[in-house]
């Protein structure tokens, strides 16, 4: 599973310049830092800049810095419209289902999508329902953090997308057609006293899809809570020196989010043929002495 997981991460990154979380129920927090697993594409978290022990590290490094991160918590943005990401070989089409399919609520579902995948190659989609962003506050915090030695060679999570419902899919190269919709289900009654004065109700939602191939993962919070993190942004200090930071406005110039693996084949394995071809093309444009 690991190479295919990495393939999904790589495809979504190519489409968005952001990092996909193969396990959205596992939270990714703003301020988390660590290294990337070259095999799976997962962030291996080593800590978080909002942790008390990291604050102690800051105070020891430079007592004059006076950067108290608890005074600069992540900003929680507004709820956004449904966010649908599809890669180059996943063509989004008008929604349709096979004749004879009669699913309650399908016709009135507000979130519906239909994808036609290319044959012979893997592609992917990610759907987030009513997502919202969490991110570092727009201040000098980020530029000061990247000067901290403890973050050297570390990837830092600068923003995340959370949502109450997600669906992700990685195709199997068969040229399949996938439809999906987020349906409203009947009210759920908690079994306290049936229909009594203490009964509580919550409107549920759930995914419907015709997917029978490839790899499909989906989740819903019946209470509408923002418990899934399908997407996040990583930055890494990239060999910069203090000369780069002549002003705070220049701080982003020293950041990168490059992946740590070579080009991948359709099954997520590193492809030495592609690497050789890339090097050959580079040599063609290298001036000869």
């Amino acid at each position: 599973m690991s190479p295919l997981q990495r393939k999904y991460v790589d495809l979504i990154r190519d489409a968005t310049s952001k990092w996909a979380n193969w396990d959205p129920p596992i939270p990714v927090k703003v301020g988390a830092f660590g290294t990337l697993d070259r095999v799976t594409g997962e962030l291996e978290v080593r800590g978080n800049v909002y942790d008390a022990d990291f604050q102690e590290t800051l105070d020891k490094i430079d007592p004059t810095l006076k950067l108290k991160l608890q005074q600069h918590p992540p900003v929680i943005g507004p709820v956004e419209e449904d966010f649908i990401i599809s890669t180059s070989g996943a063509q989004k089409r008008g929604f349709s289902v096979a004749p004879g399919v009669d699913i309650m609520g399908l016709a009135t579902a507000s979130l519906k999508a239909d994808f036609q995948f290319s044959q012979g190659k893997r592609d992917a989609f990610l759907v987030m329902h009513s997502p919202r962003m969490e991110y570092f506050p727009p201040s000098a915090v980020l530029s000061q953090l990247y000067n901290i030695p403890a973050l050297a060679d570390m990837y830092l999570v600068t923003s995340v997308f959370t949502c109450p419902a997600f669906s992700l899919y990685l195709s199997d190269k068969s040229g399949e057609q996938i439809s999906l919709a987020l349906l409203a289900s009947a009210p759920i009654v908690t079994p306290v006293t049936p229909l009594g004065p203490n009964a509580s109700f919550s409107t549920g939602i759930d995914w419907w899809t015709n997917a029978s191939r490839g790899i499909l993962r989906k989740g819903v919070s019946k209470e509408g809570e923002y418990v899934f993190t399908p997407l996040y942004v990583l930055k890494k200090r990239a060999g910069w020196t203090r000369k780069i930071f002549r002003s705070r406005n220049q701080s982003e110039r020293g950041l990168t989010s490059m992946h740590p693996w070579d080009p991948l084949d359709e099954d997520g394995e590193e492809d030495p043929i592609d690497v050789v071809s890339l090097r050959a093309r580079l040599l063609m444009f290298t001036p000869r002495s």
Side-chain angles (χ1 to χ4, degrees):
M1 180 60 70
S2 295
L4 292 180
Q5 173 180 337
R6 179 172 61 180
K7 182 64 175 179
Y8 168 77
V9 172
D10 194 67
L11 285 167
I12 297 298
R13 183 189 173 279
D14 285 347
T16 65
S17 298
K18 298 175 176 60
W19 291 84
N21 182 7
W22 180 255
D23 297 305
I26 299 177
V28 179
K29 299 294 186 181
V30 173
F33 60 87
T35 57
L36 281 173
D37 188 313
R38 184 178 179 123
V39 177
T40 66
E42 291 180 354
L43 177 67
E44 296 183 334
V45 177
R46 304 290 181 85
N48 193 297
V49 300
Y50 288 105
D51 291 342
D53 56 350
F54 189 84
Q55 184 63 58
E56 292 177 5
T57 300
L58 288 181
D59 296 338
K60 292 177 181 178
I61 291 174
D62 188 355
T64 65
L65 187 60
K66 297 181 180 180
L67 177 60
K68 304 300 181 184
L69 290 166
Q70 292 298 328
Q71 299 175 4
H72 304 276
V75 176
I76 300 178
V79 175
E80 302 179 21
E81 295 182 354
D82 297 330
F83 192 1
I84 300 176
I85 300 165
S86 57
T87 59
S88 60
Q91 183 180 1
K92 195 169 181 291
R93 312 186 314 171
F95 183 83
S96 63
V97 294
V101 174
D102 185 15
I103 305 296
M104 182 178 298
L106 189 57
T108 58
S110 60
L111 174 52
K112 294 183 285 190
D114 191 291
F115 301 92
Q116 177 62 57
F117 287 88
S118 298
Q119 191 167 12
K121 63 189 295 285
R122 291 193 192 273
D123 279 283
F125 68 67
L126 168 63
V127 180
M128 293 181 286
H129 173 55
S130 298
R132 68 186 182 195
M133 284 188 69
E134 297 181 26
Y135 50 91
F136 275 120
S139 64
V141 172
L142 194 56
S143 60
Q144 293 184 69
L145 282 176
Y146 281 122
N147 283 305
I148 304 302
L151 294 177
D153 300 320
M154 293 287 174
Y155 287 86
L156 177 66
V157 178
T158 59
S159 63
V160 301
F161 285 83
T162 60
C163 62
F166 80 94
S167 181
L168 66 86
Y169 182 79
L170 179 67
S171 70
D172 70 347
K173 302 187 288 186
S174 66
E176 65 268 41
Q177 176 269 329
I178 301 296
S179 300
L180 79 157
L182 188 61
L183 308 180
S185 61
I188 301 171
V189 183
T190 56
V192 180
T193 303
L195 301 181
N198 296 323
S200 60
F201 298 84
S202 64
T203 301
I205 54 175
D206 208 349
W207 291 103
W208 169 89
T209 179
N210 66 350
S212 60
R213 318 177 71 121
I215 302 172
L216 174 72
R217 304 194 66 181
K218 52 191 175 71
V220 167
S221 167
K222 300 296 184 181
E223 294 75 25
E225 297 178 348
Y226 281 71
V227 295
F228 302 114
T229 314
L231 198 66
Y232 56 98
V233 175
L234 283 180
K235 297 293 183 182
K236 182 182 180 183
R237 199 167 76 175
W240 24 278
T241 64
R242 291 185 180 274
K243 293 181 181 180
I244 293 177
F245 293 100
R246 295 176 181 173
S247 72
R248 289 175 178 174
N249 293 332
Q250 292 176 306
S251 62
E252 289 290 335
R253 295 182 185 179
L255 309 180
T256 181
S257 58
M258 292 294 291
H259 50 65
W261 49 78
D262 291 327
L264 304 179
D265 64 16
E266 296 304 324
D267 295 320
E269 301 285 358
E270 293 186 79
D271 191 348
I273 297 177
D274 283 352
V275 176
V276 171
S277 298
L278 177 60
R279 289 171 179 166
R281 289 196 296 270
L282 291 175
L283 288 174
M284 292 175 60
F285 295 97
T286 302
R288 297 180 179 179
S289 56

